[in-house]
Amino acid sequence: MTQTIAPAATPQQPAKSAQSPLFDLLARSWTLEAAITDVALDRAGKAAGFALADGRVALMPLDDPESPLARMRVEADSGRSTIRPREKPVAQPILTPELATGAPLLAPSNMIGLVAAGRDGRIHRVTPRGQVISLCNKAEPIFALAADGLGRLAIARDGRTDLHDEDGMARQAGLLTPGPAHALAFAPDDRSLAVALKESLIIGQPRKGYELFPLGGSGPIGFSADGRWLVGSNGKDGIWLLQRQDGQIARIGKFRAAPTSVTFCRAADAVFASGAFRAAGWSLATPPFGNEATGALKTGRSGLVLIDKVAAHPARDLIALGTADGAVAIAQAGRAEEMPLRQADGAAVTALAWSADGLHLAIGTANGEAALVTLPPQLFK
């Protein structure tokens, strides 16, 4: 992985920034009025929505009139790429009214924009332009939310998880559970629903039956792009990895902190998690069944600050790493070299996600700093 873009010389130098020159060239950034807890991008690739701790959602369009792609110049004699600084201020984000008591849960809508659900029971659809449409206003706490991309929403309440049509919110099916689920995920292959509970994991479909696995926890879960694997945080000191075809389970522990972020990298055929001093990763070609060292991928440099968030590029073998002190870097799976992108500012990275085309990286922090970083393909080779 090689950085090939340099700032272009300009008669008037841009104002000094606390961030790196590369970040200043590639990022649009905003200071919001509350901590950022999550980020989600709509399925149409129009906007990123940042969930704020005060119950609002901040929306930023992915389209940028002064995109780094438009400001890039390739020198004819050397082939070297340069990029001139931005000339105009970035557009201000669209802020919704308060949609929840506390930070809303976000998921891409099956129709347009995002769905935001509140722990207080309210559910809204938010369009890329900030229009807010009420979908449900039941006074029942919501603990987890997921959308399958085909019209269904999964909603976890205390003691049950329900499937609804997003259009009209008609209830399709329900699953009784011992307590509330803390995470939900739809498999991309057969749209099975995974329901993560404190002491167990349930996977299945209405009318086709469910399987129960002894995989408890309190952290995030996620399917691989082909649906063959499911990973989850045990909420304590590690992760578990489930191979769905035969039910084999790998349990990997001894993390420095409970992983709050898990991701599959399709290009590297690997899984990664936060909670260590470098990205913790394993190859799925040689999964760590029985031995945690099997297939281990040393990715990024080992430092003194924990990795709090990880996000895999949708097409390349690149992993974005967000630390507990606010730094963001990009590393190639299985390699120690990193490309520093955002400098540490003391506030943890709390949200990290790539756009579906891999062109944009969305970043959010605990002190309310949000950014959309456009990463031209020429940046990597």
Side-chain angles (χ1 to χ4, degrees):
M1 181 179 66
T2 304
Q3 181 180 327
T4 61
I5 293 178
T10 55
Q12 294 182 342
Q13 295 299 318
K16 290 184 178 180
S17 167
Q19 275 304 325
S20 69
L22 185 63
F23 186 87
D24 287 338
L25 283 172
L26 302 180
R28 290 173 285 160
S29 58
W30 303 267
T31 299
L32 303 175
E33 299 174 355
I36 295 168
T37 61
D38 195 10
V39 63
L41 286 78
D42 72 326
R43 299 184 190 279
K46 298 292 186 182
F50 293 84
L52 304 183
D54 63 7
R56 296 179 299 166
V57 176
L59 295 159
M60 292 77 161
L62 294 186
D63 185 49
D64 178 9
E66 274 198 288
S67 167
L69 298 176
R71 293 183 277 121
M72 186 182 301
R73 176 177 175 270
V74 180
E75 297 176 359
D77 53 347
S78 66
R80 182 172 179 261
S81 297
T82 60
I83 185 167
R84 63 172 174 80
R86 185 181 293 273
E87 296 177 350
K88 300 177 182 179
V90 297
Q92 291 302 301
I94 299 171
L95 285 168
T96 70
E98 177 262 328
L99 302 179
T101 301
L105 304 169
L106 296 180
S109 168
N110 298 297
M111 302 175 69
I112 184 172
L114 304 173
V115 173
R119 301 278 181 178
D120 53 12
R122 288 181 285 168
I123 305 175
H124 298 86
R125 184 185 302 121
V126 183
T127 72
R129 294 187 177 184
Q131 181 184 7
V132 176
I133 303 163
S134 177
L135 300 180
C136 179
N137 196 23
K138 292 183 179 180
E140 295 181 81
I142 295 173
F143 296 88
L145 172 73
D148 71 352
L150 296 176
R152 296 185 302 172
L153 295 177
I155 301 168
R157 296 184 172 88
D158 192 6
R160 74 180 197 275
T161 295
D162 294 325
L163 289 174
H164 293 263
D165 284 318
E166 182 182 332
D167 186 13
M169 292 299 292
R171 183 174 174 271
Q172 289 186 354
L175 174 67
L176 297 178
T177 58
H182 62 79
L184 302 170
F186 282 100
D189 55 347
D190 62 1
R191 307 296 168 179
S192 293
L193 177 65
V195 180
L197 304 163
K198 185 176 181 180
E199 303 294 339
S200 61
L201 174 76
I202 301 171
I203 305 178
Q205 299 181 40
R207 295 178 293 278
K208 292 186 178 180
Y210 293 89
E211 292 183 86
L212 183 68
F213 297 90
L215 297 171
S218 59
I221 62 173
F223 282 98
S224 60
D226 57 12
R228 294 173 51 238
W229 298 89
L230 181 65
V231 66
S233 169
N234 65 14
K236 299 175 182 177
D237 64 352
I239 63 171
W240 47 259
L241 182 64
L242 171 66
Q243 184 170 251
R244 294 180 66 201
Q245 182 178 5
D246 56 14
Q248 285 195 83
I249 296 171
R251 299 179 188 271
I252 307 167
K254 301 179 182 177
F255 284 43
R256 292 285 183 167
T260 59
S261 182
V262 292
T263 187
F264 286 98
C265 181
R266 188 171 191 172
D269 193 26
V271 63
F272 292 87
S274 66
F277 289 120
R278 70 183 340 148
W282 287 266
S283 170
L284 299 178
T286 53
F289 295 131
N291 188 336
E292 295 182 5
T294 302
L297 297 172
K298 294 182 178 180
T299 300
R301 289 190 290 267
S302 182
L304 300 176
V305 182
L306 287 172
I307 302 295
D308 270 3
K309 294 295 176 182
V310 292
H313 191 282
R316 295 175 178 262
D317 60 346
L318 302 175
I319 312 299
L321 316 172
T323 67
D325 64 358
V328 176
I330 297 175
Q332 191 171 9
R335 297 198 176 189
E337 179 188 9
E338 290 183 357
M339 185 187 76
L341 185 60
R342 185 182 193 272
Q343 295 178 351
D345 60 4
V349 175
T350 52
L352 198 61
W354 293 90
S355 60
D357 59 7
L359 187 60
H360 308 281
L361 180 65
I363 302 169
T365 73
N367 66 351
E369 297 293 322
L372 287 175
V373 187
T374 300
L375 295 158
Q378 296 92 328
L379 195 63
F380 310 105
K381 67 177 183 179

